[in-house]
Amino acid sequence: MLKIGEISLNNRIIAAPMAGVTDKANRIMARSFGCAMTCSEMISDMGLIYGQKKTQAIADTEGEERPVSLQIFGSHPERMAQAAQIVEKLGADIIDINMGCPTPKIIKNGEGCALMLDLPRSRDILRSVVQGVKIPVTIKMRGGWEDGSKTFLELAGIAEQEGVKAIALHARSRMQFYSGQADWGLIKELKQASSLPIIGNGDIWSAEDAVKMLEITSCDAIMIGRAAMGNPFIFREAVELVEKGIKMPSPTVEERIQAAIRHLELACHFKGEQVAVREMRKHFSWYIKGWPGAAKIRVLINSAQTQTELIQAIRGCAENWVSDLAPALDL
Ligand SMILES: Cc1cc2nc3c(=O)[nH]c(=O)nc-3n(C[C@H](O)[C@H](O)[C@H](O)COP(=O)(O)O)c2cc1C
């Protein structure tokens, strides 16, 4: 089985970090559907150093199944090492360094994917973080800045020299943001060039895609992001198909509703009802994606003020039409 430093993963399916999405409740849901590891959303080095309450809450992993990776971002080697030490103390099993975020507000500070334009700085960051903590350090990067860039190969070499233990590659350039198609050929190239464990990422939308990426690229594990929004079932489906060759049936409507409610309960538990309901509206909209009448349910979801109202929105609407439509939909 795959090992990242001394950390063993019990299968090859990993949940991707997503800002505003992969909070503690989301990570618990993902693990309950079988992925081997989850990762926090990206956490600001300065937020950690200043001890901001909100930042520390993002880094809280108490009670979660292990391993959990905490991802940090920044551009200053010493500050990044300090931030890494803080998340290590807070209970991270692995520290991941964000070298792929394409967002202008991150890039303008020289953070995220901007680090792929400054490899000497990237090396300094990796060196100081790896030397500053005892737990494994990993990186998550893109192909490079421009389409066709091979910077990922250079950065992978640097990472290996500096003691990084695994690399996740989102097979797009920075300039692509999320458009176009991820180029899995980059993952294959990286796997051939590096002796580190390679985690392939980008455009896995189904369990079949997970199998395909592993076959095409020979990567060591795969990471799923957007396809898991409102759909933690994809982890179970991918684990079963990848590890056992078993094709899981699609979740039923009731299973989807149950998962959404469980997710909401967890969010309320960790964040309090008011914040959780506000944040869970988008998750509920994702849970009902593709349902007929979803647009109408979404209006109710977006006006829900309480946990009960959110549950009524998803359950009430579902009850009205599911019995008529579910067979036709193959839900
Ligand atoms: C809403 C959103 C937030 C994201 N936040 C992060 C993040 O905090 N750190 C990171 O490394 N990648 C982040 N990503 C990128 C994902 O981890 C992943 O690389 C990307 O979505 C491609 O994988 P996918 O096709 O499976 O979604 C984010 C993506 C989305 C859609």
Side-chain angles (χ1 to χ4, degrees):
M1 268 298 150
L2 174 60
K3 280 187 99 176
I4 298 178
E6 290 307 306
I7 307 281
S8 299
L9 302 192
N10 59 17
N11 64 60
R12 289 174 284 174
I13 314 300
I14 297 172
M18 288 188 285
V21 179
T22 55
D23 61 4
K24 188 167 174 163
N26 186 283
R27 294 194 300 270
I28 291 174
M29 290 301 294
R31 274 314 285 262
S32 75
F33 282 94
C35 66
M37 180 166 81
T38 54
C39 185
S40 71
E41 52 197 299
M42 59 194 227
I43 311 174
S44 146
D45 60 346
M46 293 310 285
L48 287 161
I49 292 167
Y50 286 138
Q52 287 167 354
K53 277 217 169 77
K54 218 172 138 188
T55 311
Q56 286 192 336
I58 300 177
D60 170 33
T61 61
E62 207 193 315
E64 288 179 53
E65 267 187 78
R66 303 280 142 190
V68 183
S69 168
L70 292 183
Q71 187 186 66
I72 56 174
F73 72 96
S75 65
H76 193 280
E78 283 79 39
R79 285 191 217 135
M80 285 290 276
Q82 233 182 310
Q85 285 161 356
I86 295 169
V87 292
E88 181 179 38
K89 276 206 198 93
L90 288 170
D93 300 295
I94 290 173
I95 288 164
D96 188 58
I97 299 180
N98 184 314
M99 297 185 146
C101 180
T103 312
K105 89 171 186 235
I106 300 292
I107 295 294
K108 77 173 190 319
N109 297 326
E111 300 162 340
C113 203
L115 291 171
M116 296 195 80
L117 292 172
D118 189 348
L119 295 184
R121 179 178 286 270
S122 295
R123 182 187 288 281
D124 289 345
I125 290 173
L126 296 180
R127 183 169 295 170
S128 61
V129 171
V130 169
Q131 289 178 357
V133 295
K134 295 192 187 66
I135 57 178
V137 175
T138 60
I139 63 172
K140 182 164 176 286
M141 63 177 175
R142 288 186 174 233
W145 191 262
E146 305 279 353
D147 288 6
S149 159
K150 296 286 175 194
T151 311
F152 67 105
L153 294 174
E154 273 181 89
L155 184 52
I158 292 170
E160 199 162 349
Q161 286 161 7
E162 297 304 332
V164 163
K165 299 291 189 225
I167 299 173
L169 176 61
H170 176 191
R172 279 192 172 81
S173 69
R174 187 271 172 178
M175 294 313 289
Q176 263 185 295
F177 285 82
Y178 293 91
S179 69
Q181 193 68 25
D183 177 2
W184 292 359
L186 306 184
I187 300 168
K188 185 175 180 181
E189 247 183 287
L190 179 60
K191 177 61 194 166
Q192 283 167 353
S194 173
S195 55
L196 290 176
I198 301 301
I199 302 162
N201 170 240
D203 288 342
I204 293 177
W205 296 102
S206 66
E208 285 76 11
D209 287 344
V211 170
K212 247 187 253 166
M213 183 188 276
L214 284 160
E215 273 174 12
I216 290 173
T217 71
S218 303
C219 64
D220 299 281
I222 59 101
M223 182 179 259
I224 302 176
R226 290 165 296 169
M229 287 154 103
N231 181 28
F233 305 97
I234 191 158
F235 294 118
R236 182 174 72 188
E237 292 162 6
V239 171
E240 291 296 310
L241 197 61
V242 163
E243 304 299 355
K244 302 179 202 155
I246 296 172
K247 167 107 180 102
M248 293 290 293
S250 302
T252 62
V253 168
E254 184 54 29
E255 277 180 297
R256 289 176 204 225
I257 293 171
Q258 289 295 342
I261 293 173
R262 170 85 186 119
H263 192 162
L264 173 64
E265 284 167 354
L266 286 164
C268 288
H269 178 72
F270 295 124
K271 296 192 171 169
E273 185 173 5
Q274 202 182 1
V275 173
V277 167
R278 202 177 57 227
E279 291 185 0
M280 282 301 295
R281 288 183 195 136
K282 64 173 183 273
H283 292 274
F284 266 51
S285 293
W286 294 329
Y287 274 102
I288 64 161
K289 210 167 129 196
W291 291 9
K296 275 192 200 142
I297 310 174
R298 221 162 261 138
V299 173
L300 285 176
I301 287 172
N302 286 331
S303 61
Q305 300 298 322
T306 63
Q307 187 174 357
T308 311
E309 282 173 17
L310 255 187
I311 294 172
Q312 277 168 351
I314 198 167
R315 212 180 247 308
C317 291
E319 272 163 11
N320 281 341
W321 50 257
V322 156
S323 53
D324 300 337
L325 294 169
L329 278 170
D330 193 25
L331 287 175

